[in-house]
Amino acid sequence: MEMQPPQVNVDIEVVDPQALQEMRQERLQAFGASMAHQRDDWVRSRYSYGVDKRWLEDMDQYNAKDNIAKQASQMMTSVEQGYPVTTQMAKPHRSTVYIGLTRQKSNAGEARLADILLPTDDRNWGIQPTPKPQLMQMARDGQMAGDKTTGEPLTHPETGDPLRMKDIARAAMDVARQKADAMQVEIDDQLTECDYNAEVRKVLHNAAVLGTGVLKGPIVTNRTRKAWQPYTDLDGNQVHTMEIVEELRPASFSVDPGNVWPDPGCGDNIHHGKGIYEREQLTSRQVRELAKQPGFMKEQLRKVLEEGPKKSATFQELKDDDQRDIARDVYEMWTYWGEVDHEDLMATGVDVGEKDELRSLSACVVMINSTVVKTFMNPLEGGELPYDFFVWEKVANSVWGYGVPYLMRAQQRVLNAAWRQMMDNSGVTSGPQIIVKPGAIQPADKQWQLSARKIWFATDDIDDVRKAFTAVEFNSHQIELAGIIKMAMELADQETGVPAITQGEKGAAPDTVGGMQMLMNSANVVLRRLVKQFDDMITKPHIRRYYDYNMMYSEDEEIKGDFSIDARGSSALLIRDIQNQSFLNLLAAAANPVFGVYLDPQKLFEKALQAQHIDPKDVFKADDELEKIKEQQAKAAANPQEAPADPRIQAAQIRAQADMQK
C-alpha cells in the first residue's frame, strides 16, 4: 500500500496586481504632494527676503530702464513714487534720460574676470599628487634600499645598479605625477566637450548683473557625435564613413539663478542644507521625448499629459504684475537634489536597503507639475549636491549676493538726476523767456508763436512799443551739474571696485612700464579678491566632483590615484605682466653656472611664451630635429677638438688677422 504525504492546510493570500498598482500610485501621489509642499515653502522663503524683486530692479538698471519714473500700475506704488493716484497728469513734464553706466561697469568687471579665469592657452586649475611626508623624507635619504625580509640590497631591474631609498621614493613620485597628469587630461577633455568655458562665462555674467551665478555639474548626459571611421571596401580602397556615436559623458551647465531654490536653512553654503530645487519649462513635445530616456516612469508621464500644464500655486500667489514670465502653456519640471526619506524612495522602486536613522539617503527626484516621474540615487558617493554658487559680493548668512547694479544703485540715481537737471537747465537757458502784454500788441497772423520776420500790430493805448514785451534770460548751471556727474562716476568706480583704468581708459596713468605695472596691480586688487573667491566657490569643489566621478566610474586605471585640486586662477593667471618680466630674469639666471643647475631652460622658455599668449608647439622645432641638435651638442661637449667652430668666432678671427696685416 502506497503511503500518502500528510495533508497541510496553508492559507495563501493572493495579491491582486491591480491593487498593488493602485497602492503604488497612491504612495507616489503622496510623495509628490509632500515634495511640492516643501518646494512651495522654499519658494516663499526666498521671495520674502526680496531677492526676486531686487533682481528685477537690477535687470532694469542694467538695461537702462527707469522703473522708478515710469507710470505706476498700482495705487500704493504710485503714492510711494510721489505721483498722483489717478492717471491724469501722472507723466512728469521733465527730462527722463538715462545714463547707461551700469551696463558698462557690469560688462567691464565681467570681461576682466573672464579674461583672468578663462585664458585661451592655459587652464585655471590643475591636478597634483597629494604630498606624502613619508615619501618626501625618503626622497632625501641616500641610504641603500634593502629587502625587508632578507635584508639583501635592492637593484635596478634593468641596469642592475643598487637602489637607494631616494631612488625608490622618486620613482613612486614619478608614477603618481604621471597618473595625475593623465587625470588632468581626462577632466580637461570632459570639460572641453561640454564647452566649460562658455558655461562659466554665463555664470560670471549672472554674478556681475544679479550678484549670483550658478554652475551645475557633473551631470551625466547621453551625447551623440559624428565620427568618421576608416573602412576598406571590396576593391581594397580605404574610404571614410560617418557614424553616429553615443557616449555617456559628464557635463557642466550654467543655471539661471532665478530658477534655483536651495534650502532656506543652509546659511551661506548650499551644501549645508537639505537639498535644492531647480525649475525647467517644457513643452508637451519635450515631455513625450522624456519617455525615450531611461529611468522615467511612462505611467506617470501619461498622467502628466492627461492633466495638462499646471502652474505652481505659490507662483500664482506671489506673482506680481512685473513678473517676466512670457511662456504660459508649458509644463514645469522640478528637479530636486538632496535628502529623501527611506519610505519615499522605496515607493518609487529604488532599492535602498534596510532603513537606518543614521544613514543619509541622497537622491534626485524629478517632478512635472506635482507628479513624480523619475528618481535615482545620487551617483556621487558622498551625496554632494551638483551645484556651485558664485557671488560677486557676499551677503551675511545668505547664498544670494549683490551684483554691480546693486552696488552702484545710489550713484546711478545721482547720475540720472544730475544729467536730467542739466538737460532741463539747458532747455530753459537755450533761449530767452518772452513776457508779452496781450492788450498792447497783436500778431498779424493771429498766432502767438515766435517766428522769423513776424509782423506785430501795436494798439493806440501804448506809447512805447518796447514796453509791450521783453525777453528774460535764465542762468546756466552746467558747470556745477557737471561736477556732480564727475563725482558720481568716481564714487561708482570706488563702490564697484571696477576703476576706469581696467576698462582701457588711461587717464593720468604714468608712461613708464614699471609705473603702469604698479598701477594695474593696484587696480586689480578687488578683481584678485574675486578670482580667489571664484577658486574657492567654483573651481575647487567643481573639479573635485569631476575627480570623484572619474575615480568611481572610469574604467582607465592609469588615471586613478590620490590627488589634490590646484586652483591657480589667483596665482598663475592674474599677474601675467609681472610674470613676463620674471620669466626673462629667470632665463638669464638659467645661463648662470651657479643657479642654472636648479632651473630647466626649456620649461622656462615655454612658460615665457605662454605668458605672451604663444603656444610653444607653434614655434618649436620638431622633436626629431631637437634630438639631433642635442646629440650634436653632446658630441661637441665630449670632443671639443672635433666640434665645428662657431661661424661667429671664425669671422672674428678673420677680421683680427686682416687688422694685423694692415
Side-chain angles (χ1 to χ4, degrees), residues 73 76 132 218 251 269 341 383 398 427 439 469 496 499 504 529 542-543 547 550 634 648-649:
S73 59
M76 291 306 299
K132 297 182 179 180
N269 191 343
D341 293 338
S398 176
F469 64 88
T496 59
R529 167 179 167 269
H542 201 78
I543 303 301
Y547 163 66
N550 288 310
R648 294 173 295 181
I649 299 177

Side-chain angles (χ1 to χ4, degrees), residues 21 25 284 287-288 290-291 296-309 331 368-369 371-373:
Q21 183 67 17
Q25 289 292 334
S284 57
V287 174
R288 293 186 179 92
L290 294 177
F296 282 90
M297 294 176 276
K298 297 182 180 180
E299 299 84 2
Q300 298 292 91
L301 291 176
R302 291 192 184 95
K303 179 182 177 182
V304 169
L305 293 171
E306 290 175 358
E307 65 183 11
Y331 292 87
I368 300 181
N369 297 339
T371 303
V372 178
V373 295

Side-chain angles (χ1 to χ4, degrees), residues 4-180:
Q4 298 291 334
Q7 299 293 329
V8 179
N9 295 326
V10 179
D11 295 332
I12 301 177
E13 183 181 357
V14 180
V15 181
D16 188 4
Q18 184 175 359
L20 283 177
Q21 183 67 17
E22 292 178 356
M23 185 182 301
R24 184 168 179 266
Q25 289 292 334
E26 291 178 0
R27 297 184 65 178
L28 284 175
Q29 184 176 358
F31 180 34
S34 64
M35 296 296 294
H37 179 71
Q38 177 180 261
R39 171 201 66 196
D40 294 342
D41 289 342
W42 293 7
V43 171
R44 289 192 187 95
S45 176
R46 191 182 76 181
Y47 188 86
S48 64
Y49 285 101
V51 177
D52 299 81
K53 183 179 180 181
R54 189 186 78 217
W55 284 345
L56 294 176
E57 295 173 354
D58 290 344
M59 287 300 301
D60 285 342
Q61 183 177 334
Y62 176 80
N63 294 318
K65 293 182 179 179
D66 196 353
N67 62 341
I68 298 179
K70 68 183 179 182
Q71 180 177 346
S73 59
Q74 297 179 1
M75 181 181 298
M76 291 306 299
T77 308
S78 301
V79 175
E80 292 175 0
Q81 296 178 0
Y83 290 103
V85 177
T86 60
T87 58
Q88 297 179 0
M89 302 300 292
K91 185 177 180 180
H93 298 283
R94 300 184 62 182
S95 175
T96 58
V97 294
Y98 200 104
I99 299 179
L101 185 64
T102 299
R103 176 186 291 272
Q104 178 192 6
K105 288 293 180 185
S106 303
N107 292 347
E110 170 198 345
R112 181 61 177 159
L113 198 60
D115 185 58
I116 296 171
L117 290 171
L118 304 173
T120 56
D121 55 352
D122 201 354
R123 63 181 70 88
N124 65 338
W125 57 272
I127 304 294
Q128 300 292 337
T130 303
K132 297 182 179 180
Q134 184 178 1
L135 284 179
M136 299 298 292
Q137 185 177 1
M138 287 177 59
R140 296 187 294 267
D141 191 353
Q143 295 182 359
M144 295 297 176
D147 194 343
K148 293 183 179 180
T149 57
T150 62
E152 297 181 358
L154 298 177
T155 58
H156 195 278
E158 297 180 358
T159 61
D161 298 333
L163 293 177
R164 293 172 293 181
M165 298 295 292
K166 61 181 182 180
D167 296 333
I168 298 176
R170 289 175 181 175
M173 294 169 65
D174 290 340
V175 172
R177 192 174 296 108
Q178 292 175 4
K179 290 190 174 183

Side-chain angles (χ1 to χ4, degrees), residues 508-525:
D511 294 331
T512 61
V513 177
M516 281 298 298
Q517 287 183 358
M518 292 176 62
L519 191 60
M520 285 299 297
N521 194 24
S522 301
N524 287 332
V525 169

Side-chain angles (χ1 to χ4, degrees), residues 221-234:
T221 58
N222 188 2
R223 292 178 173 268
T224 59
R225 63 180 180 89
K226 299 177 181 179
W228 292 90
Q229 302 293 342
Y231 172 72
T232 304
D233 57 10
L234 298 177

